[in-house]
Coordinates of all heavy atoms in Angstrom, one line a residue:
Chain I
Q960 N 6.0 -5.9 -3.0 CA 6.2 -6.4 -1.7 C 7.1 -7.7 -1.8 O 6.6 -8.7 -2.0 CB 4.9 -6.7 -1.0 CG 5.0 -7.1 0.5 CD 3.7 -7.2 1.2 OE1 2.7 -7.7 0.6 NE2 3.6 -6.8 2.4
F1012 N 1.4 -5.0 -6.2 CA 0.1 -4.4 -6.0 C -0.1 -3.2 -6.9 O 0.8 -2.3 -7.1 CB -0.1 -3.9 -4.6 CG -0.1 -5.0 -3.6 CD1 1.0 -5.4 -2.9 CD2 -1.3 -5.6 -3.3 CE1 1.0 -6.5 -2.0 CE2 -1.4 -6.6 -2.3 CZ -0.2 -7.1 -1.7
F1026 N -6.2 -0.4 -3.2 CA -5.3 -1.4 -3.7 C -6.0 -2.6 -4.3 O -7.1 -3.0 -3.9 CB -4.5 -2.0 -2.5 CG -3.4 -1.1 -2.1 CD1 -3.6 -0.2 -1.1 CD2 -2.1 -1.2 -2.7 CE1 -2.5 0.6 -0.6 CE2 -1.1 -0.4 -2.2 CZ -1.3 0.5 -1.2
G1027 N -5.4 -3.2 -5.3 CA -5.8 -4.5 -5.8 C -5.4 -5.6 -4.9 O -4.7 -5.3 -3.9
A1028 N -5.8 -6.8 -5.2 CA -5.5 -7.9 -4.3 C -4.1 -8.4 -4.4 O -3.6 -9.2 -3.6 CB -6.4 -9.1 -4.6
G1029 N -3.4 -7.9 -5.4 CA -2.0 -8.3 -5.6 C -1.8 -9.5 -6.5 O -2.7 -10.4 -6.6
Chain P
Y1298 N -2.4 0.9 7.8 CA -3.0 -0.2 7.0 C -3.0 -1.5 7.8 O -2.1 -1.7 8.6 CB -2.3 -0.3 5.7 CG -2.5 0.8 4.7 CD1 -1.6 1.9 4.7 CD2 -3.4 0.7 3.7 CE1 -1.8 2.9 3.8 CE2 -3.6 1.7 2.7 CZ -2.7 2.8 2.8 OH -2.9 3.8 1.8
R1299 N -3.8 -2.4 7.4 CA -3.8 -3.8 7.9 C -3.8 -4.7 6.7 O -4.5 -4.5 5.7 CB -5.0 -4.1 8.8 CG -5.0 -5.5 9.3 CD -6.1 -5.7 10.3 NE -7.5 -5.6 9.7 CZ -8.6 -5.8 10.5 NH1 -8.5 -6.1 11.7 NH2 -9.8 -5.6 9.9
Q1300 N -2.9 -5.7 6.7 CA -2.8 -6.7 5.6 C -3.1 -8.1 6.1 O -2.4 -8.6 7.0 CB -1.5 -6.6 4.9 CG -1.4 -7.5 3.7 CD 0.0 -7.4 3.0 OE1 1.0 -7.3 3.6 NE2 -0.1 -7.5 1.7
T1301 N -4.1 -8.7 5.5 CA -4.4 -10.1 5.8 C -4.6 -10.8 4.5 O -4.8 -10.2 3.4 CB -5.7 -10.3 6.6 OG1 -6.8 -9.7 5.8 CG2 -5.6 -9.5 8.0
M1302 N -4.5 -12.2 4.6 CA -4.6 -13.0 3.4 C -6.1 -12.8 2.8 O -6.3 -12.7 1.6 CB -4.4 -14.4 3.7 CG -2.9 -14.7 3.9 SD -1.9 -14.5 2.4 CE -2.6 -15.8 1.4
M1303 N -7.0 -12.8 3.7 CA -8.4 -12.8 3.3 C -8.8 -11.4 2.7 O -9.6 -11.4 1.8 CB -9.3 -13.1 4.5 CG -9.2 -14.5 5.0 SD -9.7 -15.7 3.7 CE -11.5 -15.3 3.6
R1304 N -8.4 -10.3 3.3 CA -8.9 -9.0 3.0 C -7.9 -8.1 2.3 O -8.2 -7.0 1.9 CB -9.4 -8.3 4.2 CG -10.5 -9.1 4.9 CD -10.9 -8.4 6.2 NE -11.6 -7.1 6.0 CZ -12.9 -7.0 5.9 NH1 -13.7 -8.0 5.9 NH2 -13.4 -5.8 5.7
G1305 N -6.7 -8.6 2.1 CA -5.6 -7.8 1.4 C -5.2 -6.6 2.3 O -5.2 -6.6 3.5
L1306 N -4.9 -5.5 1.6 CA -4.5 -4.3 2.2 C -5.7 -3.4 2.5 O -6.4 -3.0 1.5 CB -3.5 -3.5 1.3 CG -2.0 -3.9 1.5 CD1 -1.2 -3.4 0.3 CD2 -1.5 -3.2 2.8
E1307 N -5.9 -3.0 3.7 CA -7.0 -2.2 4.1 C -6.5 -1.0 4.8 O -5.7 -1.1 5.7 CB -8.0 -2.9 5.1 CG -8.5 -4.2 4.6 CD -9.3 -4.8 5.8 OE1 -8.7 -5.5 6.7 OE2 -10.5 -4.7 5.9
L1308 N -7.0 0.2 4.4 CA -6.7 1.4 5.1 C -7.6 1.5 6.4 O -8.8 1.4 6.3 CB -7.0 2.6 4.3 CG -6.7 4.0 4.9 CD1 -5.3 4.2 5.2 CD2 -7.2 5.1 4.0
A1351 N -2.5 -10.0 12.0 CA -2.3 -9.4 10.7 C -0.9 -8.7 10.7 O -0.2 -8.7 11.7 CB -3.4 -8.4 10.3
V1352 N -0.6 -8.2 9.5 CA 0.6 -7.3 9.4 C 0.0 -5.9 9.4 O -0.8 -5.6 8.5 CB 1.5 -7.6 8.2 CG1 2.6 -6.6 8.2 CG2 2.0 -9.0 8.2
F1354 N 0.8 -2.0 8.7 CA 1.7 -1.0 8.1 C 1.4 0.4 8.4 O 0.2 0.8 8.5 CB 1.7 -1.2 6.6 CG 2.3 -2.4 6.1 CD1 1.5 -3.5 5.7 CD2 3.7 -2.5 5.9 CE1 2.1 -4.7 5.2 CE2 4.3 -3.7 5.4 CZ 3.5 -4.8 5.1

Side-chain angles (χ1 to χ4, degrees):
Chain I
Q960 187 174 37
F1012 292 93
F1026 281 93
Chain P
Y1298 289 87
R1299 179 172 68 175
Q1300 185 179 34
T1301 61
M1302 289 294 292
M1303 292 296 295
R1304 301 174 68 90
L1306 270 162
E1307 303 173 276
L1308 177 67
V1352 180
F1354 287 101

